[in-house]
Structure formats: structure tokens, C-alpha cells
Amino acid sequence: MTSQPESTSNDLPAESPSVTILDTGFWKRSASFLIQWRISLLIFAVVLTAIAYPYSQRLQLDRSIESLFALDHPLLLSYQESKSLFGGDEFVMLAWKQDDLLTSESLIEIEAFGKTLGELPGVNPESTQTLSAVLRPKQIGFIGNLFMRIPTVRESALNFAEGALVGEDRVTTAVVVRLKPEEESVVSRAETLASIRDLAASHNPPAYVVGEPVQVHDMFEVVEKDGATLGIVSSVILLIVIFFFFRSLRWMILPLVMVQAALIWTKAFLVISGMRLSMVSSMLNSLVTIIGIATVMHITIYFRELRRDQERILALRMTLSTLLPAICWACATTAIGFGALLSSDIVPIRSFGIMMVLGVSFTLLAAFTIIPGGVLLGNFSVDPRKYGWEKWVTGGLLNLLKLVFRIPKTIASVAFLLIVFGFFGLSFLRIETDFSKNFRDNSPIVQALNFVEANLGGAGNYEINFPFVDVTDPEAIDKLRELSEELKAIEIEGHPALTKVIAYTDGIDFIPSVAGRTLEAKRETLQKMQPEFEPSLFNPEEQRMRILLRALERQPAELKLQMIDEVTRTAQKYFPEAKCTGLYVLLANIILSLLSDQVVSFTLAACGIFLSMTIAFRSWKVGLTSLVPNLFPIVILIGTLGWIGSLVNIGTAMIASVSIGLTVDSSIHYLSSYFREKRTGHSHAKALELTQSQIGLSLVFSNVALICGFSVLMLSEFVPLIYFGVLVSIAMLGGLIGNLVLLPLLLTALYGRKEVIMQSATE
């Protein structure tokens, strides 16, 4: 490709926008400045990296449940209030099947196992619950134990423990331990859970480990591990792709250096500003890598073409003066796409948006400070190379353009029908609240959840709490008992909504008459048998009572939310100030906002990008035109998810706004090239032909690199990251097609329709 003389905006044909994205004076001066001061800028980048590196190593993943919500979120406040009132539900369950479970020998073994677990650092030994403590309670004396041997009493005790410490099959059992608050433990939560899992694995037979702390720990553990691993893997894969395309070590290493510098600066800034990585923000490494390498890809291909006729410095100056505006606006629109996530009510998504805006900004700074010096420093592997088969790719792109000219109405009709198909599919989108669906089916946490769901009832735990003045008042106790029975009777679609209801009255009613005839006597016996039972349900100082509930985790979201609403409504009939809370409720509601988040963030991203493109090209028509080929694949993709019944998770919630921010980069480079060629006096058809052959190849290469980079997320153990990687890759491919097919079609409709009609008539 040879360079074309550049003219001022006054030389534009009448049908072109009055001002293009390319301001030759400003951008030429900027390119000259970057090249003139390239060594100083490179030194600045090295010094800044050296200063920022120690800070960047301090960035940590916030593993708390609180990190998923805004600090003033009503649901979070209710959850924290419950933890302060009742000491939190830091329970861990170890479950297994055991033959001859109800024999004395088995119960003794269970008791010994529970004692061993209680002695672990970080475990509260006084709160360990075992089946042996229910069937062989030492605290009620010899007579009481004899009474427990009566079949009807023993069966009553088993019914009391069913769903928590023993299964309906009477061969499944569990030991439940309560963890100390992290601030009171001498070891970390990770160490405590590792010790518990070691004991579970060594138990005969091996025990499954579940519980709120385990689920939360595993979720953050997987995300943090994947974030580090996927960042490295995506870098390696992208470097291989770049080396394959250009066969140059310099042009392979340069984007890696630029990306690593941008990552170090971003992480250091986050540490200094007091931010921590959220669950979703673990993708920071891989996404910044992908964005940075895509930026360098455009520079590489343009520089490579100019080097055929120009010496090195001049080729780089011409490359930068031509591409800098497109690169800057591309980074701006990418930042807008990520910035739209700030509208989310989900804190991890919002913080992810902030981090990615910073990452994109620092990527641009790294490009300014590192690329000029990196390209011109030394004489090693100076030029990226070219393959002979690239002409076949270019030929295919030109044939695609001819097809657009030949059957524009057919292409437009098909695109319109596909968009209508996508829009109708949006109405069928559903949300995913099954916690286990966040992990692969073969992961330990999913296998453990499946075991508990199948043998011990639901794995979803939550509560209803309310004011309660006095547990010694028989009338109040009767009222509590009535509520408990009504909660147990709740049905959703003909099936019991709750698999277990544990109320204070269940403990009182369980105590046999021989151990206590009055309410006060039963309370004393219950405190001896289960010291933690009353404190875990009733707070006398704050006069607050709660009922613990368990439900199936693996059920449709609408049924979960319907059940939670019905439980709340039922409780408020008896206690108007009743509140429903717990991890089950938190996760159900955090996912509930995904659909509205997706619509709002996508709308904001589209509006922001429209304004940016309008300002960049000073034409609202161009701004609107740039949206169409990028909205096209996203609407079809998300609509298809609705049609096929795919459930929306936290990964798919970010697809729309992020994808449009990434795919519009291709539109910017395409439009910039088209209007640049128009300014040199080329006809509409010739300008499109040059753009399709020159920029089209760059778009193909950069999108292939992006898709390869995003596909790395498929290796994750965290399913939302897998969804994100696959769907963004598909959206990128669709965006490439949109920019190579629909964008030329729209430009023809706007600026070249008469020319094409005249040419067709001549032919």
C-alpha cells in the first residue's frame, strides 16, 4: 500500500461528512512528538512500571459475601443484622452413607468423628452437631437414655433430626460444625476448610463437604485461580497467534511488554485507591491482554504495508498519524462499553466496569509510551512479515464486497429478519439461581451439593426472623408453633416448598415428658442436650426469634422467588415485622437483577458509543450507522439464548455492553479508512474497495486474535466465565461479519447509492 496525499476537510466530496475522524495537523504533530521523544517516553514507562510493581503485587481478591452488594443494600443490611443477632450461619456439613447407621457402634464412631472435627483450629467445639448427640444424649442421664430406647421416642428423635443429621433412608448421616468468626480464629478460613476436607477424605467412607462458607470459599478460590491462570494462558495463545501472523519476535514481544506494563499500572492504581478485585474482576488480566494486543495488531499491519515503500521512522510516523485517532476513539468506545456496567446493582459487575475502564486507559498510555521506542529501538527483527496466502484473504473480502453491491436488498432483508428474530427471543430470557450451575458438573462442590440434595433434603439455607419477647410465654410459643406448621405446609406447584423447617418449638416438642413436663423444664433439658440450639434461634437481649429454613437449590429461579415471597407473606401474618434473609435469598435476588442490568447497561453503552461516534465524525448519521453492524450480532446472540431457553448468569449479563464496546472498534477503523480514502478524491466504490482490502485484512487478523484470546475462558472452572468467553467470541465473529457486510451496505445507502445505481445501469 502506498501512502496517499492528505487534503483538508474542505476537499471532501459533497456526500461525505464535513469533517472526518482524521485531523491531519493535530495527529501529525502528535505522531512526531511521540517519535521525537520516544526514548524519554520509554524511560518514563520503565520507571513508572518499576515504581508501580510493588504496589501491584498487593492487589487482593475480596472474598466476602459483602463484596457482592452495595454497603447500603437492604438485603445485605438484613443479612448482617441476622449475623450480629445470632452469630452467623457459618455451618459446614459433612455427609456420607453408612450401613448399620443406628447401631451403638456406628453412633460411637460418629461421636468420635464429631469430636475430632471440633478440635480443629477455627471450629467452635461446643456447636458440633451429630446424630449420636440426638439418639444418645449424655446430658439427660441414665433414665433419659433408657427412655430414648423406646421405639416411638427413638423414631420421634429421628424425625427431629431428619433432613439435617440423618436422611429419610436412615443410612445417610451428617456431622454439622460451626466455624468461628474469621477475626477470632488463629488460622485462616482457607486453612480451616482444608483441614475439614482432609478429615472428610480420610473418613471411611469419604464424606461430602457442603455449607455456606464452603460454597463461598470455593467460588472465590476458583475465580482467583482462574484469573491468574487464564491471564497467562491467553497471553501465550495470543503471542503464538501474533508470531504466526507476522513471524517477528519484536512484534510478538512488543504487545506483551505493553500489556504487562498496563496491567501493572492498573493494579497499582487500584491498590493505591483502596480497591480490591471482585469476583468478576479476575478477568482483568486476560481482557487487558486482549485489548492491548488488538490495538497493536492494527499498527503492525499498517506499518508493515508502509515499510514496502518508506524508511522505518517515516513509516511509523505515517502509521501513527493515520491510526492514532482511530485507536484513541476505539479505546474510548471500549471504555464506554465497560463503563456502562457502572449502572449495575451488582457490586462485582460495577467494580469490574471501573477496573476495565482503568485498564483500557492505561493500555492507551502504554501504547503511547512504549510502542514508538519499541518499534524503532535497535535493528533486531525490524519488520513484521507477510504471507503469500494473505492475497487470497483480501480477494475473499473483495468478493464479499461485490456480493453486497450485487444483492443489497436480499442482505438487508435477511439482516432485518434476523434482528426481529433476536428481539422476540429477548422476551424468553430466564435467570439462573442454582449455585451449583456456577461450577462444572465434575467439581467437588457440585458433587457434594448433589449428594446432600438427594439424601438430606435441600442445600439452600435461609431464615425468617421477627420480634419475639419471651420464650417462657406459652401463648407466644403456641403462636410460633402455628407459624412453623404453616411454613411446613407451604406448597409450590403441588410440591412442598421447604424440605426442612427448624423452629424453637421443634426442640421443645422433641423433649420427652420424662425429661420435662413443664415448658421451663423442657427448656432446661434442651439446653443440656443441645447447648447451641436456643442461642442459635433466639436472642433474648434483642428479643428476636428466627426460624431456619431449607429448600432445594436446584430448581427454577421463578419457583425460588415465589417460595421466598410466600414464606415472607406467611410469617408476616403472625409477625408483621418478619424479615426473610440468608445466603439463599441474597443470591436469588442478586441474580434477579441481571436481566434489568443487561438492558440498562446495554442501552447506556449504545447511547454512549453513538455520542462518541457522532463527535468523532461530526455526523449523527455516521454515529447511528456505526451502531447497526455492532447491535446486529448482539441482539441475535442474546435473542437466541432466549429462544433456546439458556439461563442468564452473571457472565451473560455483561455480554451486551462489553461486546458492543469491543466490536465497535472495527467500525471505527473501517469508517476512518473509508472517509480517509474519500478525502483523497476516490469514488465511493473505490474507497470501499481500498478499505475492504486494507482495513478488512487488519480486522480479520485482530478479530481472530481476540476470539483466540476470549476462547481461553472456556478453560475456567467457573461457568459464568465460560459463558462470557464463548458468547463474546461469537459476538466478535458476528461483529466482524457485520462490519464487513452491513457497514459497506449502510455506507452505500448513505453516500454512494446514486453512484452504485448509475454504475449498475451502465453495466
Side-chain angles (χ1 to χ4, degrees), residues 132-201:
S132 59
V134 175
L135 298 182
R136 302 175 69 251
K138 300 177 181 179
Q139 296 87 347
I140 59 175
F142 178 73
I143 300 299
N145 271 293
L146 286 177
F147 193 80
M148 291 294 295
R149 295 177 182 272
I150 299 175
T152 55
V153 176
R154 188 177 179 84
E155 187 60 30
S156 175
L158 287 170
N159 290 335
F160 172 72
E162 187 175 299
L165 301 176
V166 65
E168 186 178 355
D169 57 9
R170 297 300 188 258
V171 295
T172 305
T173 188
V175 174
V176 178
V177 298
R178 191 173 194 173
L179 304 182
K180 295 179 180 178
E182 288 192 73
E183 59 274 13
E184 297 179 12
S185 177
V186 296
V187 298
S188 68
R189 177 59 50 82
E191 291 177 276
T192 300
L193 293 178
S195 299
I196 291 174
R197 279 186 158 143
D198 287 342
L199 283 178

Side-chain angles (χ1 to χ4, degrees), residues 374-385:
V375 172
L376 300 177
L377 188 66
N379 295 309
F380 171 70
S381 189
V382 171
D383 296 325
R385 299 180 183 179

Side-chain angles (χ1 to χ4, degrees), residues 474-623:
E475 292 185 4
I477 291 295
D478 289 340
K479 187 177 180 182
L480 179 62
R481 184 179 291 108
E482 291 177 15
L483 170 58
S484 174
E485 293 303 317
E486 189 165 342
L487 289 173
K488 294 175 184 177
I490 293 177
E491 291 189 351
I492 302 294
E493 295 191 351
H495 300 283
L498 301 166
T499 60
K500 186 70 176 178
V501 176
I502 302 177
Y504 182 70
T505 50
D506 293 315
I508 294 296
D509 296 341
F510 162 67
I511 302 300
S513 300
V514 69
R517 295 184 176 278
T518 65
L519 176 59
E520 187 59 34
K522 289 188 175 186
R523 283 187 62 218
E524 292 178 0
T525 303
L526 180 62
Q527 288 172 357
K528 292 178 181 179
M529 292 179 62
Q530 296 286 335
E532 293 291 318
F533 188 83
E534 182 173 313
S536 68
L537 296 177
F538 178 65
N539 186 318
E541 289 78 17
E542 299 295 332
Q543 296 183 332
R544 197 86 181 177
M545 177 69 77
R546 69 171 174 172
I547 297 176
L548 299 179
L549 311 170
R550 182 177 293 176
L552 293 175
E553 178 68 49
R554 314 199 72 174
Q555 60 177 319
E558 55 269 22
L559 296 186
K560 287 185 178 181
L561 298 172
Q562 183 181 348
M563 172 191 59
I564 292 170
D565 289 341
E566 183 64 21
V567 166
T568 304
R569 186 190 64 80
T570 301
Q572 289 178 348
K573 287 195 308 181
Y574 292 87
F575 302 95
E577 297 179 37
K579 298 178 183 178
C580 197
T581 187
L583 181 63
Y584 192 81
V585 178
L586 290 180
L587 293 180
N589 281 274
I590 197 173
I591 304 298
L592 178 63
S593 64
L594 286 178
L595 284 177
S596 59
D597 276 354
Q598 183 162 265
V599 173
V600 172
S601 63
F602 179 59
T603 302
L604 290 176
C607 292
I609 290 171
F610 166 73
L611 291 175
S612 297
M613 298 293 283
T614 299
I615 295 171
F617 292 96
R618 299 190 182 182
S619 168
W620 66 268
K621 291 182 179 179
V622 177

Side-chain angles (χ1 to χ4, degrees), residues 33-314:
F33 173 83
L34 293 177
I35 291 175
Q36 180 181 355
W37 295 96
R38 60 185 182 276
I39 301 301
S40 299
L41 291 172
L42 196 57
I43 293 173
F44 168 79
V46 172
V47 172
L48 182 59
T49 303
I51 294 173
Y53 181 78
Y55 290 98
S56 68
Q57 300 306 297
R58 302 177 193 171
L59 189 62
Q60 296 178 339
L61 181 70
D62 191 343
R63 292 171 173 252
S64 65
I65 288 297
E66 287 76 6
S67 70
L68 303 179
F69 291 86
L71 295 178
D72 59 348
H73 196 289
L75 288 175
L76 177 61
L77 295 178
S78 295
Y79 180 72
Q80 291 174 327
E81 179 188 28
S82 174
K83 289 179 70 174
S84 66
L85 289 172
F86 304 106
D89 288 329
E90 302 292 313
F91 293 108
V92 175
M93 176 185 289
L94 295 87
W96 69 93
K97 286 182 178 289
Q98 182 168 327
D99 295 331
D100 300 323
L101 176 63
L102 303 181
T103 63
S104 297
E105 293 77 8
S106 294
L107 293 175
I108 291 172
E109 290 177 2
I110 293 172
E111 183 179 0
F113 185 51
K115 183 178 180 181
T116 303
L117 287 167
E119 293 172 350
L120 292 175
V123 173
N124 187 344
E126 298 177 355
S127 301
T128 303
Q129 302 173 34
T130 64
L131 181 61
S132 59
V134 175
L135 298 182
R136 302 175 69 251
K138 300 177 181 179
Q139 296 87 347
I140 59 175
F142 178 73
I143 300 299
N145 271 293
L146 286 177
F147 193 80
M148 291 294 295
R149 295 177 182 272
I150 299 175
T152 55
V153 176
R154 188 177 179 84
E155 187 60 30
S156 175
L158 287 170
N159 290 335
F160 172 72
E162 187 175 299
L165 301 176
V166 65
E168 186 178 355
D169 57 9
R170 297 300 188 258
V171 295
T172 305
T173 188
V175 174
V176 178
V177 298
R178 191 173 194 173
L179 304 182
K180 295 179 180 178
E182 288 192 73
E183 59 274 13
E184 297 179 12
S185 177
V186 296
V187 298
S188 68
R189 177 59 50 82
E191 291 177 276
T192 300
L193 293 178
S195 299
I196 291 174
R197 279 186 158 143
D198 287 342
L199 283 178
S202 63
H203 186 268
N204 185 24
Y208 292 94
V209 181
V210 297
E212 173 190 326
V214 180
Q215 295 171 9
V216 173
H217 171 270
D218 282 10
M219 176 175 62
F220 286 115
E221 185 76 14
V222 168
V223 168
E224 187 168 21
K225 182 183 70 176
D226 282 354
T229 303
L230 297 178
I232 296 173
V233 175
S234 62
S235 296
V236 172
I237 289 180
L238 286 169
L239 289 177
I240 293 173
V241 172
I242 292 172
F243 186 78
F244 171 77
F245 280 150
F246 305 120
R247 292 174 292 168
S248 169
L249 289 176
R250 177 190 294 265
W251 289 92
M252 180 184 74
I253 295 172
L254 184 60
L256 177 64
V257 172
M258 188 191 82
V259 165
Q260 290 305 312
L263 281 171
I264 290 172
W265 300 346
T266 303
K267 292 179 180 180
F269 185 89
L270 293 173
V271 170
I272 293 172
S273 62
M275 291 187 64
R276 303 178 73 183
L277 278 176
S278 68
M279 177 178 63
V280 184
S281 301
S282 60
M283 291 186 291
L284 178 69
N285 286 8
S286 55
L287 288 182
V288 170
T289 299
I290 291 163
I291 293 167
I293 288 179
T295 300
V296 178
M297 188 77 74
H298 291 288
I299 295 175
T300 307
I301 293 177
Y302 206 89
F303 175 81
R304 184 185 67 176
E305 295 300 314
L306 288 177
R307 279 289 288 153
R308 296 168 59 185
D309 303 301
Q310 308 294 342
E311 59 88 19
R312 197 166 154 197
I313 293 180
L314 181 58

Side-chain angles (χ1 to χ4, degrees), residues 388-404 406 670 688-689 691-694 696-697 700 736-737 740-741 744:
W389 53 259
E390 291 183 22
K391 63 182 180 182
W392 299 105
V393 178
T394 302
L397 293 173
L398 291 176
N399 289 333
L400 191 62
L401 183 62
K402 291 178 182 178
L403 187 66
V404 172
R406 190 177 302 122
Y670 197 101
L688 276 182
E689 181 183 329
T691 297
Q692 190 85 348
S693 61
Q694 297 166 3
L697 182 64
V700 170
L736 176 63
I737 296 172
L740 294 176
V741 177

